[in-house]
């Protein structure tokens, strides 16, 4: 590899990881003042688990993320089947456009538009009554589905069709074939998609801020309200834990897809 | 014959059942909401809950439905230089950041794509980890580095490059650092995807025919990676236009960006109609980049 490429590889990774490593180091700093190293301590982690507000927000975020990831995975799976298996159906361009637009749409636009929809719908038909976990979940399913589709579509497009054909030749219907043959083959990609959707939902600040109601403050909303005021060591500890969860999720997702590839 | 017809109907029905849920969902919760934003952008802010005047009013005496479209929100946006400057600020930050991401990201992606096949999965995981980590946390991490008593100033002081701490936080510089940092993986991933698929024999052929490494790069590698450049650039440019977290945490008053203005109008001033008009104009600005992105996506999907 040319030297310049090697350099940009290491410089790139250094740039991506330096802030994260600094953050993790600070979370073990005994001193309250961030800039002074007061010795190694896990004090801030203990503090975290005694903070009722943080625990509540974390619980809300976990619930929303589980519902959203599940909903987005179901919709993303159906959309992947349509995109990969239905060939050129009418409205395909609009369909694929609708499915991929949330990948780039600025979050403030998604957030404001969904809130205005919820409020207008409440005035017109009385649903959804107020805003909370339900409305955040609907909003998160909407933008997470696009990411699940990005994970699922290539996996479905490259799977071995002869397995499905064999199942159909042996007399199984399309639904039976899908459940017994297709699903197990693409299962690792489904789990990866679910994990990605979970993380995206769990991390979202902007869309949740628009669609949340009183009493449904998510963890990123709470973190944001704290860091706007000051850098605090307990937030460093919390951020480190969130990075750890994301890292575990990613490694799980990667191992799943890798095992799959090795089997082939 | 009738069996075939029945089968065709069944297959048609099956396809509809698969298509309908995602189609309906995205229509209801992605497309339709824009209609409400458009509607409320023509409304008037009032002190009520929700804080905007109804657009349609039924007049029971006359038995007619009155609709009043007020364009003054848009007039207001065009007349007050704050909004124009915020749009221009966002476009400038997004354009420059996209170029920086491309300059840093291209050799980065190329290095991963040309690394030994056995090492690529590990490098990819390392690249995707920041993407899986909350944007809020990654941006927050920069505060600890850039502030006056932060890591960077301490290092520079210790090395002796500077005598007193620099003001780095709440500057345009901090904004660029934050944006490039947060969006770099969005540039690198699509670039890697096209570079990894490239047929290396083309490069060998070009070298065999006497082209220098630089010449082969410009004539072979670069043109073949244009789809990745377009996808990556759009994945950076479009969301950065509406970026809220980065300017709020890192820019201070130094940089005006439209996503933050929308947020302030909505949450602090509770002027929902003006916030809606800001969103509509943002969408108009983004329509061409979004179409370019969509075309690229459907080409790659085909």
């Amino acid at each position: 590899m040319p030297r310049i490429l090697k350099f940009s590889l290491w410089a790139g990774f250094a740039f991506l990881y330096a802030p994260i490593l600094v953050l993790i180091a600070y979370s073990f700093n005994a001193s309250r003042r961030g800039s002074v190293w007061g010795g190694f301590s896990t004090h801030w982690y203990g503090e975290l688990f005694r903070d009722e507000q943080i625990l509540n927000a974390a619980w809300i975020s976990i619930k929303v993320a589980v519902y959203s990831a599940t909903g987005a995975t179901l919709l993303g799976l159906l959309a992947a089947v349509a995109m990969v298996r239905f060939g050129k159906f009418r409205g395909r361009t609009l369909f694929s456009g609708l499915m991929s637009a949330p990948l780039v749409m600025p979050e403030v636009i998604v957030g404001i538009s969904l809130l205005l929809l919820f409020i207008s719908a409440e005035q017109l038909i009385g649903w959804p009554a107020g805003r909370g976990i339900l409305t955040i979940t609907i909003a998160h399913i909407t933008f997470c589905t696009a990411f699940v589709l990005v994970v699922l579509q290539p996996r479905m497009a490259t799977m071995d069709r002869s397995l499905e054909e064999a199942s159909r030749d042996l007399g199984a219907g399309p639904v039976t074939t899908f459940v017994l043959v297709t699903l197990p083959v693409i299962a690792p990609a489904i789990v990866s998609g679910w994990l990605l959707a979970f993380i995206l939902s769990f991390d979202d600040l902007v869309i949740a801020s628009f669609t949340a109601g009183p009493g449904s403050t998510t963890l990123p909303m709470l973190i944001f309200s704290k860091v706007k005021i000051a850098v605090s060591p307990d937030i460093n500890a919390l951020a480190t834990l969130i990075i750890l969860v994301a890292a575990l999720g990613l490694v799980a997702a990667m191992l799943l897809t890798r095992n799959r590839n090795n089997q082939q | 014959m009738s069996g075939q017809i029945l089968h065709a109907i069944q297959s048609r029905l099956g396809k509809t059942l698969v298509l309908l849920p995602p189609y309906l969902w995205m229509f209801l919760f992605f497309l339709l909401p824009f209609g409400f934003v458009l509607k409320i952008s023509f409304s008037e802010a009032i002190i009520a809950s929700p804080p905007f005047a109804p657009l349609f009013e039924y007049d029971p005496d006359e038995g007619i439905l009155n609709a009043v479209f007020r364009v003054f929100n848009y007039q207001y946006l065009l007349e007050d230089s704050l909004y124009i400057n915020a749009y221009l600020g966002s476009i400038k930050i997004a354009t420059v950041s996209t170029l920086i991401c491309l300059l840093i990201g291209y050799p980065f992606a190329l290095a991963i794509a040309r690394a030994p096949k056995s090492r690529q999965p590990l490098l990819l995981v390392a690249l995707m980890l920041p993407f899986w980590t909350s944007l809020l946390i990654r941006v927050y991490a920069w505060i600890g580095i850039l502030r006056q008593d932060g890591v960077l100033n301490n290092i520079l002081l210790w090395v002796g490059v500077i005598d007193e701490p620099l003001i780095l936080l709440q500057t345009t510089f901090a904004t660029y650092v934050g944006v490039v940092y947060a969006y770099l993986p969005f540039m690198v991933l699509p670039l890697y995807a096209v570079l990894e698929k490239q047929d290396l024999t083309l490069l060998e052929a070009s070298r065999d025919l006497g082209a220098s490494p630089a010449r082969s790069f410009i004539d072979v590698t670069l043109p073949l990676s244009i789809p990745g450049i377009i996808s990556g650039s759009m994945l950076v440019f479009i969301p950065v236009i509406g970026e809220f977290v980065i300017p709020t945490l890192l820019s201070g008053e130094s940089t005006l960006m439209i996503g933050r203005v929308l947020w302030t109008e909505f949450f602090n001033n509770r002027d929902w109609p003006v916030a809606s008009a800001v969103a509509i104009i943002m969408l108009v600005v983004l329509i061409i980049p979004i179409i370019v992105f969509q075309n690229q996506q459907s080409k790659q999907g085909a």
Side-chain angles (χ1 to χ4, degrees):
Chain A
M1 204 191 299
R3 207 171 282 158
I4 181 159
L5 284 190
K6 220 165 219 167
F7 171 77
S8 52
L9 187 69
W10 293 115
F13 279 123
F15 177 57
L16 286 179
Y17 280 90
I20 295 176
L21 294 178
V22 168
L23 183 75
I24 294 174
Y26 272 148
S27 78
F28 293 106
N29 186 358
S31 158
R32 178 165 272 286
R33 278 191 56 217
S35 55
V36 185
W37 184 252
F40 181 87
S41 160
T42 52
H43 170 78
W44 305 113
Y45 289 88
E47 204 86 319
L48 222 51
F49 289 98
R50 282 189 291 274
D51 189 328
E52 201 71 28
Q53 216 186 358
I54 287 179
L55 292 178
N56 271 336
W59 180 232
I60 289 173
S61 281
I62 290 171
K63 276 197 280 191
V64 168
V66 168
Y67 302 150
S68 305
T70 309
T73 305
L74 288 173
L75 287 179
L77 186 59
L78 292 176
V81 171
M83 293 293 293
V84 177
R85 293 296 148 82
F86 289 2
K88 279 205 163 97
F89 56 88
R90 208 178 333 150
R92 189 193 158 99
T93 316
L94 177 66
F95 184 72
S96 73
L98 262 183
M99 297 313 296
S100 69
L103 291 178
V104 287
M105 191 57 71
E107 292 170 314
V108 284
I109 294 186
V110 177
I112 192 175
S113 64
L114 274 164
L115 174 63
L116 295 180
L117 172 85
F118 292 144
I119 283 181
S120 306
E122 192 183 7
Q123 284 180 319
L124 291 172
I125 56 171
W127 183 92
R131 278 158 307 286
I133 289 182
L134 175 71
T135 48
I136 307 175
T137 303
I138 291 175
H140 281 184
I141 290 176
T142 306
F143 85 92
C144 289
T145 301
F147 287 89
V148 173
L149 185 60
V150 168
V151 176
L152 282 182
Q153 198 176 331
R155 189 70 201 93
M156 266 197 94
T158 54
M159 80 170 267
D160 187 359
R161 294 292 301 267
S162 59
L163 292 170
E164 288 174 340
E165 279 156 21
S167 157
R168 295 301 297 276
D169 287 347
L170 293 169
V175 176
T176 316
T177 302
F178 183 76
V179 173
L180 293 181
V181 179
T182 317
L183 272 189
V185 173
I186 60 167
I190 294 176
V191 179
S192 305
W194 190 92
L195 287 168
L196 178 61
F198 179 94
I199 295 286
L200 288 170
S201 163
F202 189 79
D203 285 343
D204 167 65
L205 163 73
V206 174
I207 294 172
S209 300
F210 278 98
T211 52
S216 58
T217 302
T218 64
L219 197 54
M221 288 165 70
L222 185 68
I223 295 176
F224 183 66
S225 69
K226 283 176 184 266
V227 301
K228 257 194 312 188
I229 305 162
V231 174
S232 60
D234 53 331
I235 295 299
N236 292 336
L238 183 57
T240 304
L241 288 181
I242 294 177
I243 292 170
L244 192 70
V245 171
L248 289 175
L250 176 65
V251 170
M254 276 300 189
L255 286 178
L256 281 166
T257 7
R258 223 173 145 195
N259 280 343
R260 197 55 247 162
N261 292 339
N262 291 348
Q263 277 169 32
Q264 279 180 345
Chain B
M1 196 60 196
S2 69
Q4 264 179 352
I5 294 172
L6 192 69
H7 189 77
I9 293 174
Q10 266 185 342
S11 143
R12 191 82 190 256
L13 190 71
K15 282 187 178 181
T16 311
L17 283 178
V18 169
L19 263 173
L20 207 57
Y23 222 137
L24 206 60
W25 185 281
M26 295 314 282
F27 176 78
L28 278 180
F29 297 118
F30 189 74
L31 209 52
L32 187 64
F34 294 137
F36 286 97
V37 181
L38 189 64
K39 188 190 122 186
I40 288 158
S41 75
F42 288 111
S43 173
E44 184 184 357
I46 53 172
I47 298 172
S49 178
F52 54 85
L55 211 52
F56 303 97
E57 260 168 282
Y58 183 68
D59 186 342
D61 300 331
E62 301 275 331
I64 48 168
L65 194 64
N66 288 318
V68 191
F69 287 87
R70 302 167 180 87
V71 292
F72 53 61
N73 295 318
Y74 290 95
Q75 254 175 342
Y76 177 60
L77 292 191
L78 294 176
E79 278 162 14
D80 192 329
S81 61
L82 168 90
Y83 300 97
I84 309 256
N85 287 340
Y87 281 112
L88 293 177
S90 280
I91 291 172
K92 188 182 141 209
I93 301 260
T95 309
V96 176
S97 308
T98 305
L99 290 175
I100 301 174
C101 280
L102 190 59
L103 281 177
I104 302 178
Y106 201 101
F108 195 7
L110 193 61
I112 300 176
R114 299 283 181 269
K117 276 270 177 273
S118 58
R119 269 177 64 196
Q120 284 190 20
L122 186 68
L123 294 175
L124 270 185
V125 173
L127 177 68
M128 279 166 76
L129 182 61
F131 172 78
W132 279 57
T133 308
S134 153
L135 178 93
L136 173 62
I137 289 173
R138 283 182 293 143
V139 173
Y140 164 73
W142 277 100
I143 299 180
I145 295 180
L146 294 178
R147 62 193 180 144
Q148 247 176 310
D149 57 353
V151 176
L152 191 57
N153 267 320
N154 278 338
I155 291 176
L156 291 177
L157 283 171
W158 184 69
V159 174
V161 184
I162 51 172
D163 295 325
E164 49 190 273
L166 302 170
I167 294 171
L168 300 166
L169 203 58
Q170 310 206 321
T171 61
T172 312
F173 169 74
T175 314
Y176 280 119
V177 169
V179 171
V180 170
Y181 179 71
Y183 286 90
L184 187 62
F186 290 86
M187 179 66 87
V188 179
L189 284 170
L191 280 176
Y192 165 80
V194 292
L195 289 170
E196 188 256 345
K197 271 188 254 153
Q198 257 175 27
D199 188 352
L200 288 182
T201 53
L202 291 173
L203 214 56
E204 280 167 29
S206 144
R207 296 300 302 280
D208 288 347
L209 293 169
S212 68
R215 190 85 243 154
S216 331
F217 173 77
I218 291 168
D219 287 344
V220 180
T221 310
L222 199 58
L224 286 172
S225 62
I226 285 174
I229 295 178
I230 296 175
S231 291
S233 300
M234 293 303 120
L235 278 170
V236 175
F237 181 84
I238 302 170
V240 171
I241 289 284
E243 184 51 54
F244 161 74
V245 176
I246 299 170
T248 308
L249 291 184
L250 300 181
S251 306
E253 299 306 314
S254 68
T255 320
L256 212 49
M257 286 184 78
I258 198 66
R260 193 175 167 198
V261 170
L262 187 155
W263 181 285
T264 312
E265 287 297 345
F266 193 89
F267 287 104
N268 305 12
N269 304 348
R270 274 188 80 78
D271 195 333
W272 292 15
V274 163
S276 302
V278 168
I280 293 294
I281 294 186
M282 203 196 297
L283 268 179
V284 171
V285 170
L286 289 178
I287 247 170
I288 290 169
I290 289 174
I291 290 172
V292 171
F293 173 73
Q294 297 278 13
N295 278 342
Q296 199 55 53
Q297 289 293 100
S298 54
K299 260 192 242 161
Q300 279 171 338

